[in-house]
Structures are given as structure tokens and as C-alpha cells.
Amino acid sequence: MTTLTIQIPDGESSVIATIADLVKNAGGEINIDIDDENLSQQEFDALQEGLKEAILIKKGIVKGIPASQLWND
């Protein structure tokens, strides 16, 4: 695998989405690195973990939890 780092302004979400689609179609993986001083390392790690879980749910590898069951915890 090759790692490529690209810096894109936050406001260019359409470009980010296009690049993400290209990478996913090529079998690659997207890791988000947010350059925000207000985000703690723990918050960033939780964000990355949530993204990975969302991708697994989207691919059908793991089953998502319905919103109605989230409130029962």
C-alpha cells in the first residue's frame, strides 16, 4: 500500500467526497486527520473509531444498532 497525504480546505467538501469515492473504488482506506486545536486526542480517536464502524456497517460487515435501542442503554 502507498500512503498519500492531501491537504484540502474544509469548505471543499465536494472535492473531498470525490476523492473518497475514488479511493474506496480502488480498494483503499480513508483516515481523517482533522487539524483542529479544539479537538482533544481522545475526541479525535473516538471520531476515527466511529468512522471505521460506520464503514463496516455500510459494507454490511457488522450490524448497526437501531436508534430506538440506543436510548435503552
Side-chain angles (χ1 to χ4, degrees):
M1 283 281 186
T2 300
T3 300
L4 173 65
T5 302
I6 301 172
Q7 294 183 350
I8 299 173
D10 292 335
E12 297 298 326
S13 60
S14 62
V15 173
I16 295 169
T18 301
I19 292 171
D21 288 341
L22 289 170
V23 170
K24 286 187 265 182
N25 289 337
E29 178 181 316
I30 302 287
N31 291 310
I32 298 174
D33 182 13
I34 299 172
D35 188 20
D36 185 350
E37 295 177 14
N38 296 324
L39 194 62
S40 72
Q41 185 62 44
Q42 185 178 14
E43 291 169 325
F44 177 72
D45 292 342
L47 180 62
Q48 276 194 317
E49 188 63 32
L51 175 62
K52 288 177 186 177
E53 184 176 350
I55 291 170
L56 292 174
I57 291 169
K58 183 177 180 181
K59 289 182 178 181
I61 296 171
V62 298
K63 186 176 179 182
I65 300 171
S68 60
Q69 289 184 1
L70 289 174
W71 298 111
N72 293 333
D73 289 347

Short mmCIF file of all heavy atoms in Angstrom, two decimals:
data_model
loop_
_atom_site.label_atom_id
_atom_site.label_comp_id
_atom_site.label_asym_id
_atom_site.label_seq_id
_atom_site.Cartn_x
_atom_site.Cartn_y
_atom_site.Cartn_z
N MET A 1 0.84 -1.19 0.00
CA MET A 1 0.00 0.00 0.00
C MET A 1 0.87 1.25 0.00
O MET A 1 1.95 1.25 0.57
CB MET A 1 -0.89 0.04 1.25
CG MET A 1 -2.07 -0.86 1.24
SD MET A 1 -3.33 -0.08 0.24
CE MET A 1 -4.66 -1.17 0.50
N THR A 2 0.36 2.29 -0.58
CA THR A 2 1.02 3.58 -0.61
C THR A 2 0.18 4.56 0.19
O THR A 2 -1.04 4.57 0.08
CB THR A 2 1.13 4.10 -2.06
OG1 THR A 2 1.89 3.16 -2.81
CG2 THR A 2 1.80 5.46 -2.11
N THR A 3 0.83 5.38 1.01
CA THR A 3 0.13 6.40 1.78
C THR A 3 0.31 7.74 1.08
O THR A 3 1.42 8.12 0.74
CB THR A 3 0.69 6.49 3.21
OG1 THR A 3 0.52 5.22 3.83
CG2 THR A 3 -0.02 7.57 4.01
N LEU A 4 -0.79 8.45 0.88
CA LEU A 4 -0.79 9.75 0.23
C LEU A 4 -1.47 10.74 1.17
O LEU A 4 -2.60 10.50 1.61
CB LEU A 4 -1.56 9.68 -1.09
CG LEU A 4 -1.81 10.96 -1.84
CD1 LEU A 4 -0.48 11.57 -2.31
CD2 LEU A 4 -2.72 10.71 -3.03
N THR A 5 -0.80 11.83 1.48
CA THR A 5 -1.38 12.86 2.33
C THR A 5 -1.76 14.05 1.46
O THR A 5 -0.92 14.57 0.73
CB THR A 5 -0.38 13.30 3.42
OG1 THR A 5 -0.02 12.16 4.19
CG2 THR A 5 -1.00 14.36 4.31
N ILE A 6 -3.01 14.46 1.54
CA ILE A 6 -3.52 15.59 0.77
C ILE A 6 -4.16 16.58 1.73
O ILE A 6 -4.96 16.18 2.57
CB ILE A 6 -4.58 15.13 -0.26
CG1 ILE A 6 -3.99 14.11 -1.22
CG2 ILE A 6 -5.14 16.32 -1.03
CD1 ILE A 6 -5.01 13.48 -2.13
N GLN A 7 -3.83 17.84 1.61
CA GLN A 7 -4.46 18.87 2.43
C GLN A 7 -5.45 19.63 1.57
O GLN A 7 -5.10 20.18 0.54
CB GLN A 7 -3.42 19.82 3.02
CG GLN A 7 -2.51 19.14 4.01
CD GLN A 7 -1.52 20.10 4.64
OE1 GLN A 7 -1.38 21.23 4.23
NE2 GLN A 7 -0.85 19.63 5.67
N ILE A 8 -6.72 19.63 2.01
CA ILE A 8 -7.80 20.29 1.28
C ILE A 8 -8.55 21.19 2.25
O ILE A 8 -8.83 20.79 3.38
CB ILE A 8 -8.77 19.24 0.70
CG1 ILE A 8 -8.02 18.32 -0.28
CG2 ILE A 8 -9.94 19.90 0.00
CD1 ILE A 8 -8.84 17.17 -0.78
N PRO A 9 -8.89 22.41 1.84
CA PRO A 9 -9.64 23.30 2.72
C PRO A 9 -10.97 22.67 3.16
O PRO A 9 -11.59 21.92 2.40
CB PRO A 9 -9.89 24.54 1.85
CG PRO A 9 -8.84 24.49 0.81
CD PRO A 9 -8.57 23.04 0.56
N ASP A 10 -11.38 22.93 4.38
CA ASP A 10 -12.60 22.35 4.93
C ASP A 10 -13.84 22.64 4.08
O ASP A 10 -14.73 21.81 3.99
CB ASP A 10 -12.85 22.88 6.35
CG ASP A 10 -11.80 22.38 7.33
OD1 ASP A 10 -11.21 21.32 7.07
OD2 ASP A 10 -11.59 23.05 8.35
N GLY A 11 -13.89 23.77 3.44
CA GLY A 11 -15.05 24.16 2.65
C GLY A 11 -15.20 23.41 1.34
O GLY A 11 -16.21 23.55 0.65
N GLU A 12 -14.23 22.63 0.96
CA GLU A 12 -14.27 21.92 -0.31
C GLU A 12 -14.78 20.49 -0.14
O GLU A 12 -14.14 19.53 -0.56
CB GLU A 12 -12.87 21.91 -0.94
CG GLU A 12 -12.34 23.28 -1.29
CD GLU A 12 -13.19 23.99 -2.33
OE1 GLU A 12 -13.75 23.32 -3.22
OE2 GLU A 12 -13.31 25.22 -2.24
N SER A 13 -15.96 20.36 0.45
CA SER A 13 -16.49 19.02 0.74
C SER A 13 -16.77 18.21 -0.51
O SER A 13 -16.65 16.99 -0.50
CB SER A 13 -17.75 19.13 1.60
OG SER A 13 -18.73 19.88 0.92
N SER A 14 -17.14 18.85 -1.63
CA SER A 14 -17.42 18.09 -2.84
C SER A 14 -16.15 17.44 -3.38
O SER A 14 -16.18 16.31 -3.87
CB SER A 14 -18.05 18.97 -3.91
OG SER A 14 -17.16 20.01 -4.29
N VAL A 15 -15.01 18.12 -3.26
CA VAL A 15 -13.74 17.56 -3.70
C VAL A 15 -13.36 16.39 -2.79
O VAL A 15 -12.90 15.34 -3.25
CB VAL A 15 -12.63 18.63 -3.71
CG1 VAL A 15 -11.28 18.01 -3.99
CG2 VAL A 15 -12.95 19.72 -4.71
N ILE A 16 -13.57 16.57 -1.50
CA ILE A 16 -13.25 15.51 -0.53
C ILE A 16 -14.10 14.27 -0.83
O ILE A 16 -13.59 13.15 -0.82
CB ILE A 16 -13.46 16.01 0.91
CG1 ILE A 16 -12.46 17.14 1.22
CG2 ILE A 16 -13.34 14.87 1.91
CD1 ILE A 16 -12.73 17.88 2.50
N ALA A 17 -15.38 14.46 -1.11
CA ALA A 17 -16.26 13.34 -1.40
C ALA A 17 -15.83 12.62 -2.68
O ALA A 17 -15.83 11.38 -2.74
CB ALA A 17 -17.71 13.81 -1.53
N THR A 18 -15.44 13.36 -3.70
CA THR A 18 -14.98 12.77 -4.95
C THR A 18 -13.72 11.95 -4.75
O THR A 18 -13.61 10.81 -5.23
CB THR A 18 -14.71 13.88 -6.01
OG1 THR A 18 -15.91 14.61 -6.21
CG2 THR A 18 -14.24 13.29 -7.31
N ILE A 19 -12.77 12.50 -4.00
CA ILE A 19 -11.52 11.78 -3.72
C ILE A 19 -11.81 10.53 -2.89
O ILE A 19 -11.26 9.46 -3.15
CB ILE A 19 -10.51 12.70 -3.00
CG1 ILE A 19 -10.03 13.78 -3.97
CG2 ILE A 19 -9.33 11.90 -2.47
CD1 ILE A 19 -9.21 14.87 -3.34
N ALA A 20 -12.70 10.65 -1.91
CA ALA A 20 -13.05 9.49 -1.08
C ALA A 20 -13.65 8.37 -1.92
O ALA A 20 -13.31 7.20 -1.74
CB ALA A 20 -14.03 9.91 0.03
N ASP A 21 -14.52 8.72 -2.87
CA ASP A 21 -15.11 7.70 -3.75
C ASP A 21 -14.04 7.02 -4.60
O ASP A 21 -14.06 5.80 -4.76
CB ASP A 21 -16.17 8.33 -4.66
CG ASP A 21 -17.44 8.70 -3.91
OD1 ASP A 21 -17.66 8.17 -2.81
OD2 ASP A 21 -18.21 9.53 -4.45
N LEU A 22 -13.11 7.80 -5.14
CA LEU A 22 -12.03 7.22 -5.94
C LEU A 22 -11.18 6.25 -5.13
O LEU A 22 -10.84 5.15 -5.59
CB LEU A 22 -11.13 8.33 -6.51
CG LEU A 22 -11.72 9.21 -7.60
CD1 LEU A 22 -10.81 10.40 -7.89
CD2 LEU A 22 -11.93 8.39 -8.87
N VAL A 23 -10.85 6.65 -3.92
CA VAL A 23 -10.01 5.80 -3.06
C VAL A 23 -10.75 4.52 -2.70
O VAL A 23 -10.18 3.42 -2.77
CB VAL A 23 -9.59 6.58 -1.80
CG1 VAL A 23 -8.92 5.66 -0.78
CG2 VAL A 23 -8.65 7.72 -2.16
N LYS A 24 -12.03 4.63 -2.31
CA LYS A 24 -12.79 3.45 -1.93
C LYS A 24 -12.97 2.50 -3.12
O LYS A 24 -12.86 1.29 -2.97
CB LYS A 24 -14.14 3.84 -1.36
CG LYS A 24 -14.05 4.42 0.05
CD LYS A 24 -15.42 4.64 0.65
CE LYS A 24 -15.82 6.06 0.40
NZ LYS A 24 -17.12 6.40 1.00
N ASN A 25 -13.21 3.05 -4.32
CA ASN A 25 -13.38 2.22 -5.51
C ASN A 25 -12.08 1.50 -5.88
O ASN A 25 -12.12 0.44 -6.51
CB ASN A 25 -13.86 3.06 -6.69
CG ASN A 25 -15.30 3.50 -6.53
OD1 ASN A 25 -16.07 2.88 -5.81
ND2 ASN A 25 -15.67 4.58 -7.20
N ALA A 26 -10.94 2.06 -5.49
CA ALA A 26 -9.66 1.43 -5.76
C ALA A 26 -9.28 0.44 -4.66
O ALA A 26 -8.20 -0.15 -4.70
CB ALA A 26 -8.57 2.50 -5.91
N GLY A 27 -10.14 0.28 -3.65
CA GLY A 27 -9.86 -0.65 -2.56
C GLY A 27 -9.03 -0.03 -1.45
O GLY A 27 -8.49 -0.73 -0.60
N GLY A 28 -8.93 1.29 -1.46
CA GLY A 28 -8.14 1.98 -0.44
C GLY A 28 -8.93 2.28 0.81
O GLY A 28 -10.10 1.91 0.95
N GLU A 29 -8.31 2.96 1.73
CA GLU A 29 -8.90 3.29 3.02
C GLU A 29 -8.70 4.77 3.29
O GLU A 29 -7.65 5.32 2.98
CB GLU A 29 -8.21 2.47 4.11
CG GLU A 29 -8.69 2.74 5.51
CD GLU A 29 -7.94 1.91 6.53
OE1 GLU A 29 -7.74 0.70 6.29
OE2 GLU A 29 -7.54 2.47 7.56
N ILE A 30 -9.69 5.40 3.87
CA ILE A 30 -9.62 6.82 4.21
C ILE A 30 -9.43 6.96 5.72
O ILE A 30 -10.19 6.40 6.50
CB ILE A 30 -10.92 7.56 3.81
CG1 ILE A 30 -11.21 7.42 2.32
CG2 ILE A 30 -10.85 9.03 4.22
CD1 ILE A 30 -10.31 8.21 1.42
N ASN A 31 -8.42 7.71 6.12
CA ASN A 31 -8.21 8.06 7.52
C ASN A 31 -8.29 9.58 7.61
O ASN A 31 -7.53 10.28 6.94
CB ASN A 31 -6.84 7.58 8.03
CG ASN A 31 -6.79 6.08 8.13
OD1 ASN A 31 -7.66 5.47 8.71
ND2 ASN A 31 -5.77 5.49 7.54
N ILE A 32 -9.18 10.07 8.45
CA ILE A 32 -9.39 11.51 8.56
C ILE A 32 -8.49 12.07 9.65
O ILE A 32 -8.47 11.58 10.77
CB ILE A 32 -10.86 11.82 8.88
CG1 ILE A 32 -11.75 11.33 7.75
CG2 ILE A 32 -11.06 13.32 9.12
CD1 ILE A 32 -13.22 11.46 8.04
N ASP A 33 -7.77 13.12 9.30
CA ASP A 33 -6.92 13.82 10.25
C ASP A 33 -7.39 15.27 10.29
O ASP A 33 -7.21 16.01 9.33
CB ASP A 33 -5.46 13.75 9.81
CG ASP A 33 -4.52 14.42 10.78
OD1 ASP A 33 -4.95 14.74 11.91
OD2 ASP A 33 -3.36 14.64 10.42
N ILE A 34 -8.03 15.65 11.36
CA ILE A 34 -8.59 16.99 11.49
C ILE A 34 -7.58 17.88 12.20
O ILE A 34 -7.16 17.59 13.31
CB ILE A 34 -9.93 16.97 12.26
CG1 ILE A 34 -10.93 16.11 11.51
CG2 ILE A 34 -10.46 18.38 12.47
CD1 ILE A 34 -12.21 15.87 12.28
N ASP A 35 -7.22 18.95 11.54
CA ASP A 35 -6.26 19.89 12.10
C ASP A 35 -7.02 20.96 12.89
O ASP A 35 -7.25 22.05 12.43
CB ASP A 35 -5.44 20.53 10.98
CG ASP A 35 -4.29 21.37 11.51
OD1 ASP A 35 -3.89 21.17 12.66
OD2 ASP A 35 -3.80 22.22 10.76
N ASP A 36 -7.46 20.59 14.08
CA ASP A 36 -8.27 21.48 14.90
C ASP A 36 -7.74 21.44 16.34
O ASP A 36 -7.76 20.42 16.99
CB ASP A 36 -9.72 21.02 14.88
CG ASP A 36 -10.66 21.96 15.60
OD1 ASP A 36 -10.19 22.89 16.29
OD2 ASP A 36 -11.87 21.77 15.50
N GLU A 37 -7.27 22.58 16.81
CA GLU A 37 -6.69 22.65 18.15
C GLU A 37 -7.73 22.41 19.24
O GLU A 37 -7.38 22.11 20.37
CB GLU A 37 -6.01 24.00 18.35
CG GLU A 37 -4.81 24.20 17.45
CD GLU A 37 -4.19 25.57 17.62
OE1 GLU A 37 -4.52 26.26 18.60
OE2 GLU A 37 -3.39 25.94 16.77
N ASN A 38 -9.01 22.55 18.94
CA ASN A 38 -10.06 22.39 19.95
C ASN A 38 -10.47 20.94 20.14
O ASN A 38 -11.26 20.63 21.00
CB ASN A 38 -11.29 23.21 19.56
CG ASN A 38 -10.98 24.69 19.55
OD1 ASN A 38 -10.21 25.16 20.37
ND2 ASN A 38 -11.57 25.42 18.62
N LEU A 39 -9.94 20.03 19.32
CA LEU A 39 -10.30 18.62 19.39
C LEU A 39 -9.21 17.88 20.15
O LEU A 39 -8.07 17.86 19.75
CB LEU A 39 -10.44 18.07 17.97
CG LEU A 39 -11.11 16.73 17.78
CD1 LEU A 39 -12.56 16.78 18.26
CD2 LEU A 39 -11.07 16.33 16.32
N SER A 40 -9.59 17.24 21.27
CA SER A 40 -8.60 16.51 22.05
C SER A 40 -8.23 15.21 21.34
O SER A 40 -8.96 14.75 20.44
CB SER A 40 -9.15 16.18 23.45
OG SER A 40 -10.14 15.18 23.36
N GLN A 41 -7.13 14.59 21.73
CA GLN A 41 -6.72 13.32 21.12
C GLN A 41 -7.77 12.25 21.34
O GLN A 41 -8.07 11.46 20.45
CB GLN A 41 -5.36 12.87 21.67
CG GLN A 41 -4.83 11.62 21.00
CD GLN A 41 -4.57 11.81 19.52
OE1 GLN A 41 -4.01 12.82 19.11
NE2 GLN A 41 -4.97 10.84 18.71
N GLN A 42 -8.37 12.25 22.54
CA GLN A 42 -9.41 11.27 22.85
C GLN A 42 -10.64 11.47 21.95
O GLN A 42 -11.22 10.51 21.45
CB GLN A 42 -9.80 11.37 24.32
CG GLN A 42 -10.79 10.32 24.76
CD GLN A 42 -11.13 10.43 26.25
OE1 GLN A 42 -10.83 11.43 26.88
NE2 GLN A 42 -11.76 9.41 26.78
N GLU A 43 -11.02 12.72 21.73
CA GLU A 43 -12.16 13.02 20.85
C GLU A 43 -11.84 12.61 19.41
O GLU A 43 -12.68 12.05 18.70
CB GLU A 43 -12.50 14.50 20.90
CG GLU A 43 -13.10 14.95 22.22
CD GLU A 43 -13.18 16.45 22.34
OE1 GLU A 43 -12.28 17.15 21.83
OE2 GLU A 43 -14.16 16.92 22.95
N PHE A 44 -10.62 12.89 18.98
CA PHE A 44 -10.21 12.52 17.63
C PHE A 44 -10.22 11.01 17.45
O PHE A 44 -10.69 10.49 16.44
CB PHE A 44 -8.82 13.09 17.31
CG PHE A 44 -8.32 12.70 15.96
CD1 PHE A 44 -8.86 13.25 14.82
CD2 PHE A 44 -7.30 11.77 15.82
CE1 PHE A 44 -8.41 12.88 13.57
CE2 PHE A 44 -6.84 11.40 14.59
CZ PHE A 44 -7.40 11.96 13.45
N ASP A 45 -9.70 10.28 18.44
CA ASP A 45 -9.68 8.81 18.38
C ASP A 45 -11.11 8.26 18.31
O ASP A 45 -11.38 7.32 17.55
CB ASP A 45 -8.95 8.22 19.58
CG ASP A 45 -7.45 8.52 19.56
OD1 ASP A 45 -6.93 8.87 18.47
OD2 ASP A 45 -6.82 8.41 20.61
N ALA A 46 -12.03 8.84 19.08
CA ALA A 46 -13.42 8.41 19.07
C ALA A 46 -14.05 8.69 17.70
O ALA A 46 -14.82 7.87 17.18
CB ALA A 46 -14.22 9.11 20.17
N LEU A 47 -13.71 9.82 17.10
CA LEU A 47 -14.22 10.16 15.77
C LEU A 47 -13.73 9.15 14.73
O LEU A 47 -14.51 8.67 13.90
CB LEU A 47 -13.78 11.58 15.39
CG LEU A 47 -14.22 12.09 14.03
CD1 LEU A 47 -15.74 12.16 13.96
CD2 LEU A 47 -13.60 13.45 13.76
N GLN A 48 -12.45 8.81 14.78
CA GLN A 48 -11.91 7.83 13.84
C GLN A 48 -12.56 6.46 14.05
O GLN A 48 -12.87 5.78 13.07
CB GLN A 48 -10.40 7.70 14.01
CG GLN A 48 -9.63 8.75 13.26
CD GLN A 48 -8.16 8.41 13.16
OE1 GLN A 48 -7.55 7.97 14.12
NE2 GLN A 48 -7.60 8.61 11.99
N GLU A 49 -12.75 6.05 15.29
CA GLU A 49 -13.38 4.77 15.57
C GLU A 49 -14.81 4.74 15.05
O GLU A 49 -15.26 3.75 14.48
CB GLU A 49 -13.36 4.50 17.08
CG GLU A 49 -13.81 3.12 17.46
CD GLU A 49 -12.91 2.03 16.91
OE1 GLU A 49 -11.69 2.24 16.78
OE2 GLU A 49 -13.43 0.93 16.62
N GLY A 50 -15.53 5.84 15.22
CA GLY A 50 -16.89 5.94 14.71
C GLY A 50 -16.94 5.84 13.19
O GLY A 50 -17.82 5.20 12.62
N LEU A 51 -15.98 6.48 12.52
CA LEU A 51 -15.90 6.41 11.06
C LEU A 51 -15.66 4.98 10.60
O LEU A 51 -16.32 4.49 9.68
CB LEU A 51 -14.80 7.33 10.54
CG LEU A 51 -14.53 7.26 9.04
CD1 LEU A 51 -15.77 7.69 8.26
CD2 LEU A 51 -13.33 8.10 8.66
N LYS A 52 -14.72 4.29 11.26
CA LYS A 52 -14.44 2.90 10.90
C LYS A 52 -15.68 2.03 11.09
O LYS A 52 -16.00 1.18 10.26
CB LYS A 52 -13.28 2.37 11.73
CG LYS A 52 -11.95 2.96 11.33
CD LYS A 52 -10.83 2.46 12.21
CE LYS A 52 -9.52 3.16 11.89
NZ LYS A 52 -8.44 2.75 12.79
N GLU A 53 -16.40 2.25 12.20
CA GLU A 53 -17.61 1.47 12.46
C GLU A 53 -18.68 1.76 11.41
O GLU A 53 -19.35 0.84 10.93
CB GLU A 53 -18.15 1.79 13.86
CG GLU A 53 -19.35 0.94 14.23
CD GLU A 53 -19.82 1.18 15.65
OE1 GLU A 53 -19.12 1.88 16.42
OE2 GLU A 53 -20.90 0.68 16.00
N ALA A 54 -18.83 3.03 11.04
CA ALA A 54 -19.82 3.39 10.02
C ALA A 54 -19.50 2.72 8.68
O ALA A 54 -20.41 2.25 7.98
CB ALA A 54 -19.86 4.91 9.85
N ILE A 55 -18.23 2.65 8.33
CA ILE A 55 -17.84 1.99 7.08
C ILE A 55 -18.15 0.50 7.14
O ILE A 55 -18.65 -0.07 6.17
CB ILE A 55 -16.34 2.25 6.80
CG1 ILE A 55 -16.13 3.72 6.44
CG2 ILE A 55 -15.83 1.34 5.68
CD1 ILE A 55 -14.68 4.14 6.37
N LEU A 56 -17.88 -0.14 8.28
CA LEU A 56 -18.18 -1.57 8.43
C LEU A 56 -19.69 -1.83 8.34
O LEU A 56 -20.12 -2.81 7.73
CB LEU A 56 -17.64 -2.09 9.76
CG LEU A 56 -16.11 -2.15 9.88
CD1 LEU A 56 -15.71 -2.56 11.30
CD2 LEU A 56 -15.52 -3.10 8.85
N ILE A 57 -20.49 -0.94 8.92
CA ILE A 57 -21.95 -1.07 8.85
C ILE A 57 -22.40 -0.90 7.41
O ILE A 57 -23.21 -1.67 6.90
CB ILE A 57 -22.65 -0.06 9.78
CG1 ILE A 57 -22.39 -0.43 11.24
CG2 ILE A 57 -24.15 0.00 9.49
CD1 ILE A 57 -22.80 0.65 12.23
N LYS A 58 -21.85 0.10 6.72
CA LYS A 58 -22.22 0.36 5.33
C LYS A 58 -21.88 -0.83 4.44
O LYS A 58 -22.65 -1.18 3.54
CB LYS A 58 -21.51 1.62 4.83
CG LYS A 58 -21.91 2.00 3.42
CD LYS A 58 -21.26 3.29 2.98
CE LYS A 58 -21.69 3.64 1.58
NZ LYS A 58 -21.07 4.87 1.11
N LYS A 59 -20.75 -1.48 4.69
CA LYS A 59 -20.34 -2.65 3.90
C LYS A 59 -21.10 -3.90 4.29
O LYS A 59 -20.99 -4.92 3.62
CB LYS A 59 -18.84 -2.90 4.08
CG LYS A 59 -17.97 -1.87 3.42
CD LYS A 59 -16.50 -2.21 3.61
CE LYS A 59 -15.60 -1.21 2.91
NZ LYS A 59 -14.18 -1.56 3.08
N GLY A 60 -21.87 -3.85 5.38
CA GLY A 60 -22.63 -5.00 5.84
C GLY A 60 -21.81 -6.00 6.63
O GLY A 60 -22.25 -7.12 6.88
N ILE A 61 -20.62 -5.61 7.06
CA ILE A 61 -19.74 -6.49 7.83
C ILE A 61 -20.23 -6.63 9.27
O ILE A 61 -20.15 -7.70 9.86
CB ILE A 61 -18.29 -6.00 7.76
CG1 ILE A 61 -17.80 -6.07 6.31
CG2 ILE A 61 -17.38 -6.80 8.68
CD1 ILE A 61 -16.46 -5.43 6.06
N VAL A 62 -20.71 -5.53 9.84
CA VAL A 62 -21.31 -5.56 11.18
C VAL A 62 -22.71 -4.95 11.09
O VAL A 62 -23.00 -4.18 10.18
CB VAL A 62 -20.47 -4.80 12.24
CG1 VAL A 62 -19.11 -5.41 12.41
CG2 VAL A 62 -20.35 -3.34 11.89
N LYS A 63 -23.56 -5.33 12.04
CA LYS A 63 -24.93 -4.82 12.05
C LYS A 63 -25.01 -3.58 12.92
O LYS A 63 -24.45 -3.54 14.01
CB LYS A 63 -25.86 -5.90 12.59
CG LYS A 63 -27.32 -5.54 12.51
CD LYS A 63 -28.21 -6.67 12.96
CE LYS A 63 -29.66 -6.23 12.88
NZ LYS A 63 -30.55 -7.26 13.33
N GLY A 64 -25.69 -2.57 12.41
CA GLY A 64 -25.87 -1.34 13.17
C GLY A 64 -26.91 -1.50 14.27
O GLY A 64 -27.70 -2.44 14.26
N ILE A 65 -26.91 -0.60 15.21
CA ILE A 65 -27.88 -0.60 16.31
C ILE A 65 -28.98 0.41 15.96
O ILE A 65 -28.67 1.58 15.72
CB ILE A 65 -27.21 -0.21 17.65
CG1 ILE A 65 -26.11 -1.19 17.98
CG2 ILE A 65 -28.23 -0.15 18.76
CD1 ILE A 65 -25.25 -0.76 19.17
N PRO A 66 -30.23 -0.02 15.94
CA PRO A 66 -31.31 0.93 15.65
C PRO A 66 -31.34 2.06 16.68
O PRO A 66 -31.04 1.84 17.87
CB PRO A 66 -32.58 0.08 15.74
CG PRO A 66 -32.12 -1.33 15.59
CD PRO A 66 -30.72 -1.37 16.13
N ALA A 67 -31.70 3.24 16.27
CA ALA A 67 -31.73 4.41 17.16
C ALA A 67 -32.64 4.17 18.36
O ALA A 67 -32.35 4.62 19.46
CB ALA A 67 -32.18 5.64 16.39
N SER A 68 -33.74 3.43 18.15
CA SER A 68 -34.65 3.17 19.27
C SER A 68 -34.00 2.37 20.39
O SER A 68 -34.34 2.51 21.55
CB SER A 68 -35.90 2.42 18.76
OG SER A 68 -35.52 1.18 18.19
N GLN A 69 -33.01 1.53 20.05
CA GLN A 69 -32.32 0.75 21.07
C GLN A 69 -31.20 1.53 21.74
O GLN A 69 -30.79 1.19 22.85
CB GLN A 69 -31.74 -0.53 20.45
CG GLN A 69 -32.79 -1.53 20.07
CD GLN A 69 -32.18 -2.82 19.53
OE1 GLN A 69 -30.97 -2.96 19.47
NE2 GLN A 69 -33.03 -3.75 19.15
N LEU A 70 -30.73 2.57 21.11
CA LEU A 70 -29.66 3.37 21.71
C LEU A 70 -30.14 4.05 22.99
O LEU A 70 -29.37 4.24 23.93
CB LEU A 70 -29.16 4.43 20.73
CG LEU A 70 -28.36 3.92 19.55
CD1 LEU A 70 -28.05 5.07 18.60
CD2 LEU A 70 -27.06 3.26 20.01
N TRP A 71 -31.41 4.42 23.05
CA TRP A 71 -31.93 5.13 24.21
C TRP A 71 -32.19 4.21 25.38
O TRP A 71 -32.41 4.66 26.48
CB TRP A 71 -33.20 5.90 23.83
CG TRP A 71 -32.92 6.94 22.79
CD1 TRP A 71 -33.33 6.93 21.50
CD2 TRP A 71 -32.14 8.11 22.94
NE1 TRP A 71 -32.86 8.02 20.84
CE2 TRP A 71 -32.12 8.78 21.71
CE3 TRP A 71 -31.43 8.69 24.01
CZ2 TRP A 71 -31.44 9.97 21.50
CZ3 TRP A 71 -30.74 9.88 23.79
CH2 TRP A 71 -30.77 10.49 22.55
N ASN A 72 -32.18 2.91 25.17
CA ASN A 72 -32.43 1.95 26.25
C ASN A 72 -31.19 1.71 27.09
O ASN A 72 -31.27 1.07 28.15
CB ASN A 72 -32.94 0.62 25.69
CG ASN A 72 -34.31 0.76 25.08
OD1 ASN A 72 -35.07 1.63 25.47
ND2 ASN A 72 -34.62 -0.09 24.13
N ASP A 73 -30.03 2.14 26.65
CA ASP A 73 -28.77 1.88 27.37
C ASP A 73 -28.63 2.78 28.53
O ASP A 73 -28.51 3.69 28.91
CB ASP A 73 -27.58 1.99 26.43
CG ASP A 73 -27.55 0.83 25.46
OD1 ASP A 73 -28.28 -0.14 25.66
OD2 ASP A 73 -26.79 0.94 24.48
#
